[in-house]
Amino acid sequence: MFGALGGPRLLLRRLREVMVEPISPQARLDKIVVHIAANMVAEVCSVYVLRADGRLELSATEGLNREAVHLTTMRTGEGLVGLIAETAEPLALSDAQRHPAFSYRPETGEEIYSSFLGVPILRGGNTLGVLVVQNRAHRTYSEEEVEALQTTAMLLAEMIASGEVQSVVVPGSYIALRRPLALSGTPIADGVGLGHVVLHEPRIVVKQLVAEDIKRETERLDTAIEAMRQSIDRLIDSRVMGPGEHREVLETFRMFAHDRGWLRRLREAVTSGLTAEAAVERVQNDARAKLQRRTEPYLRERLHDLDDLANRLLHQLTGQSYVTSHEDLPANAIVVARTMGPAALLEYDRTKLRGLVLEDGSAGSHVAIVARALGIAAIGGVSNIIDFVEPGDAIIVDATTGDVHVRPPHDVERAYAEKARMRARRQEQYRKFRDVPTVTRDGTRIDLGMNAGLLVDLQHVEETGASSIGLFRTEFQFMLAERFPRMREQEALYRAALEQISGKPITFRTLDIGSDKHLPYMTKIDEENPALGWRAIRIGLDRPGLLRMQLRGLLHAGAGHRLRIMFPMIATVEEFEQAKALVEREIAHLRRHGRALPHHLELGVMVEVPSLLWQLDEICPRVDFLSVGSNDLVQYLYAADRENKRISDRYDVLSAPILRALKFIVDKAQAARKPVTLCGEIGGRPLEAMALLAIGFRSLSMSAASIGPVKAMVLATDLARLEPFVAELIAESHGSSSLREKLRRFAEEHTIPV
Ligand code: PEP
Ligand code: MG
C-alpha cells in the first residue's frame, strides 16, 4: 500500500532531488526519512548506519524520539535491526514485538509500533546500514513495498559510500565502509608496498540510479541481455574453443545468462523505477550479500560467474572499458585483481607500481615471476579482496609476511612506513657490498647471475653487481607486443642487451611460450593440460619459421660478441639436436651472405623436464652448458601445477627427493665438465640457495632483488661445515618430509642470514 504521493517511482524522484540539495549530510538524511515515511504511509522511518566498531547507530529518524538519534546503537546481530545487518536480508513483520530477536529500546519510544519492515543498505555485497519503516497498526508489507524500500536503500548506499555520511556518526568513530581491514595471503614477490588501490578491472560506477522512462530502461536492459548472450554464444561456437575447461566455464555462463530467476529480478528492479544499470547492480548486490555468507566453494564459484555476468552487462549498458586505463595510474599504485597474466602486469607503468594483490595466483606463476622482475611486492591467494576495496583506498602490501592492510589505521601505516624505510636501508647496504667478490667464508667462488627479460632490467646488473645474465627470458618482448615482433625488433633488443652489459655473459633463452604465457595475437589453442602441452621448444620445432627468425635475430645481434643461446623444455636429446641444426643452418646462411658472426657461440639446454635427467650422459657431451629450470622441474617431479595455489604448500623443494634430483644433475654435469647453473626462483631465496650450494651448485641466476640477500648468505657460509651437514640430512631423510626447519636452524647457529 503506497501513499497518495504516488509510489516508488515518485519517491525515487523526490529522493534524487534531495540528494543534490546543497544541505548538510544530517539535514539530507533527515529529509530522506521524512519522504520515505510519507510515501510509504509509515509513521516511522529510520536509518541506522553501520560503524567500523560493528555497532549500528541510529542516524536519522522520522517518528521515533529525536533525542535517541546518535545515542541509540546496537551490535550486529542484536535486535531486529542487528539481525538484518547480520543476515543482509529484508525482514517484514506485522507484529514485531513478538519476534524472538526484538529488543526494546525505551529511549526511542518505539513500543507503540507493531509492524516493522527493515532492509539492509548494501553495496558490493557489504552491509553499510539498515533502513526501517514502522507502523502502529498490524499490517502486512507487500512484496512491492519490500522491493521499493530495497531500491531506496541503494540511494542511501551511494550516499554512505560517497563518504558524506562519515560526518554524521558520533565523533571518533568510522562508518563501516571505511573500516580498516586486515587480510592475508601467500607472498609471491618479496617486498613491502604502501599505496592506493587500483582495480585491474574497474568496477563500473553507476551514476544514474533513477529511471526517467521505465519503458526505455526495460528495452535497454533487454537489448543488453541479448547482446551479452550473443557474445557468449559466439565465444562458445568459435573454432578457437575446443572441448575442455574453458568451454565448460562458458557453458555454465550461458546457463546463468538464461536463468529465469536472475532475469526476472532484473526486470522487477527496472519496473520499480531504477535505470537498467542500477537494476543490475541492485540484483548483484543481493546475490553477493547472500552468497558471500556461504562457505561452500561451488557457491562462491557461482558468485564469481554471476559477478562476471553482471560486469558484462554493465559494460554493455554503459560502454565503459574493461580494463583500467594505464595512463592515469596514480603514483604508488597497488593493483588489485582477481587473477592476472604476466603480460597484463607488464603493461602497467612500473615506475608507479608498488604492489600487486591477487585473489588467485601462487609463487610459481609467471605473473609472480614478472612481479619479482619488476621488484614489486606481491601477494596471491587473498580471498574476496575485490569485494572489500574501493579504488583509491589506502592499502599496504607486506609480502614478507603475506599481510594486506586495507585502509590501515595511522599507527599501522607508520609502522609499515618504517619497515619500508628499513628495507630500503638494507638494500643500500647490499649495494655497498656489490663490489665485494662473492666467495664463501672458506674461499669458494660463487657465481650470482641475474634473470632479466626487458631492457629496463639491465640497469640492475650494474646496481647489484651480478656477474652475468643467467637467464634472459626473450618471451617478455613477445608478450608485450601487439603483434609478432619483427626480426629487426628482436635483434635490436638483443643487441642493446649485449652492448649495455658488455663484458658480462648473457644467456638468451629462446621463446618460451605456451602454458600460461600466451601471446594475445596468437590463436589460443585449448588444451586439457597446457603445462604438459604445446609450449616452448615444442612450438619452436613445429613452427621452425618462428624459431629460425629468432635465431637469426640473435646471431645478427651477437656478431662480434660472445653469444649464449639456451633452449627451454628440452625433453629429449633429439630435440636439442634439431634445435642445434636450425642454428647451424642459420650460421651457414649468414656465412653465405658474408655476414659477421659471434666470435664465440655456446648452446645449452634448460634441464626442466624430468626425462632429461635420464639422458644427461648423452646430452652433456653435446651441449656447452646446462641450466636447471627448477620452477618447471619441481612441478613435473611432484606432478603439482606451479600455478595452483591449492597445492602450492603441499610439497617443499627443501626435501630429499628434489635435492637428490638436483644433486644428480650437478654431479653428472661436473663429471662431464660442463658448466651448470640454476635459474629457477629457488636460487633467489637465501635458505634454498644455501641448500643448493651444499649439493654442489656454484652458479645461480635470480631476480635482481634477490642478489643482495643471497650474496649476504654466501659471504657468511662455510661450505666445509655446510656440505657434510646437508649430505647427512638428505641421506637420513625418509620420504619427502620438509628439511626447511633443520636447515634454518643450521643457518641460525652459524649466523648465516637467510
Ligand atoms: C624454470 O622453469 O625454472 C624457469 C626458469 O623458466 P620459467 O619460469 O620461465 O618457466
Ligand atoms: Mg621453465
Side-chain angles (χ1 to χ4, degrees), residues 343 345-347 454 475-482 519-521:
L345 182 58
L346 280 169
E347 275 168 30
L454 300 165
E475 61 274 10
F476 283 5
Q477 183 189 24
F478 286 71
M479 284 156 62
L480 275 179
E482 272 158 21
L519 307 180
Y521 43 86

Side-chain angles (χ1 to χ4, degrees), residues 428-491:
E428 198 46 51
Q429 279 165 357
Y430 292 145
R431 226 163 298 177
K432 274 196 199 120
F433 61 59
R434 167 186 78 170
D435 299 321
V436 177
T438 315
V439 269
T440 63
R441 283 179 68 138
D442 47 350
T444 303
R445 230 198 120 74
I446 308 295
D447 218 65
L448 300 186
M450 198 189 98
N451 295 347
L454 300 165
L455 272 188
V456 266
D457 291 327
L458 299 178
Q459 70 197 49
H460 299 309
V461 176
E462 191 52 34
E463 280 167 24
T464 57
S467 57
S468 63
I469 290 187
L471 168 64
F472 191 96
R473 290 184 163 102
T474 61
E475 61 274 10
F476 283 5
Q477 183 189 24
F478 286 71
M479 284 156 62
L480 275 179
E482 272 158 21
R483 50 169 174 74
F484 270 112
R486 301 188 203 294
M487 204 238 322
R488 296 261 168 253
E489 290 161 336
Q490 299 180 37
E491 183 186 330

Side-chain angles (χ1 to χ4, degrees), residues 211-230:
E212 298 283 347
D213 175 350
I214 305 262
K215 191 161 162 283
R216 204 179 137 252
E217 291 305 315
T218 311
E219 280 163 15
R220 286 184 66 228
L221 180 69
D222 286 346
T223 315
I225 289 173
E226 194 44 45
M228 179 189 72
R229 280 181 183 162
Q230 280 177 11

Side-chain angles (χ1 to χ4, degrees), residues 441-671:
R441 283 179 68 138
D442 47 350
T444 303
R445 230 198 120 74
I446 308 295
D447 218 65
L448 300 186
M450 198 189 98
N451 295 347
L454 300 165
L455 272 188
V456 266
D457 291 327
L458 299 178
Q459 70 197 49
H460 299 309
V461 176
E462 191 52 34
E463 280 167 24
T464 57
S467 57
S468 63
I469 290 187
L471 168 64
F472 191 96
R473 290 184 163 102
T474 61
E475 61 274 10
F476 283 5
Q477 183 189 24
F478 286 71
M479 284 156 62
L480 275 179
E482 272 158 21
R483 50 169 174 74
F484 270 112
R486 301 188 203 294
M487 204 238 322
R488 296 261 168 253
E489 290 161 336
Q490 299 180 37
E491 183 186 330
L493 172 68
Y494 309 147
R495 174 168 295 122
L498 284 162
E499 282 169 4
Q500 264 196 42
I501 65 154
S502 65
K504 291 183 180 179
I506 306 185
T507 305
F508 291 99
R509 176 175 72 183
T510 60
L511 203 51
D512 184 10
I513 49 170
S515 191
D516 71 324
K517 290 190 266 195
H518 99 272
L519 307 180
Y521 43 86
M522 203 168 142
T523 314
K524 189 164 188 226
I525 46 159
D526 202 46
E527 298 177 290
E528 291 287 350
N529 292 302
L532 303 180
W534 200 52
R535 54 177 294 201
I537 197 68
R538 302 169 184 180
I539 299 183
L541 294 177
D542 290 352
R543 295 271 185 282
L546 204 66
L547 182 54
R548 274 176 46 204
M549 176 157 77
Q550 183 175 35
L551 292 172
R552 196 172 292 183
L554 281 165
L555 288 164
H556 281 172
H561 292 277
R562 170 183 179 189
L563 181 65
R564 288 164 62 86
I565 300 177
M566 166 161 87
F567 301 106
M569 292 286 294
I570 295 286
T572 66
V573 173
E574 290 76 11
E575 283 173 348
F576 171 71
E577 288 191 322
Q578 285 166 29
K580 186 175 171 190
L582 289 178
V583 178
E584 281 163 354
R585 221 172 111 173
E586 284 312 310
I587 292 176
H589 174 86
L590 293 179
R591 278 219 176 91
R592 268 201 309 280
H593 289 81
R595 301 280 305 238
L597 288 167
H599 63 66
H600 200 76
L601 175 67
E602 292 156 67
L603 300 181
V605 285
M606 289 204 65
V607 184
E608 52 183 345
V609 179
S611 63
L612 206 61
L613 266 63
W614 317 109
Q615 300 166 81
L616 286 169
D617 289 335
E618 293 103 301
I619 200 99
C620 281
R622 290 171 167 82
V623 298
D624 297 306
F625 63 92
L626 305 165
S627 184
V628 180
S630 53
N631 303 339
D632 277 311
L633 185 62
V634 171
Q635 86 162 336
Y636 297 131
L637 285 174
Y638 273 128
D641 182 354
R642 63 195 261 190
E643 310 280 342
N644 187 336
K645 78 172 205 278
R646 210 173 276 156
I647 48 172
S648 56
D649 291 337
R650 197 173 181 93
Y651 311 103
D652 194 347
V653 278
L654 290 179
S655 59
I658 299 295
L659 293 177
R660 282 181 194 136
L662 294 174
K663 183 166 174 10
F664 180 76
I665 302 168
V666 181
D667 290 349
K668 287 283 184 192
Q670 277 172 0

Side-chain angles (χ1 to χ4, degrees), residues 24-30 47 49 51 57-60 69-70 159 163-171 173 175:
S24 74
Q26 183 66 59
R28 202 183 314 285
L29 275 185
D30 291 344
V47 174
V49 173
R51 297 193 319 218
E57 176 177 322
L58 176 64
S59 301
V69 172
H70 303 307
M159 189 178 162
E164 197 189 17
V165 173
Q166 176 57 57
S167 66
V168 169
V169 293
V170 288
S173 58
I175 58 171

Side-chain angles (χ1 to χ4, degrees), residues 259-290:
D259 180 286
R260 288 246 185 84
W262 191 63
L263 299 174
R264 181 178 46 79
R265 283 191 294 278
L266 287 174
R267 294 220 173 86
E268 277 170 6
V270 170
T271 317
S272 77
L274 292 179
T275 57
E277 37 283 62
V280 176
E281 191 165 279
R282 166 61 221 285
V283 169
Q284 192 53 16
N285 275 346
D286 291 350
R288 276 159 161 245
K290 282 197 193 98

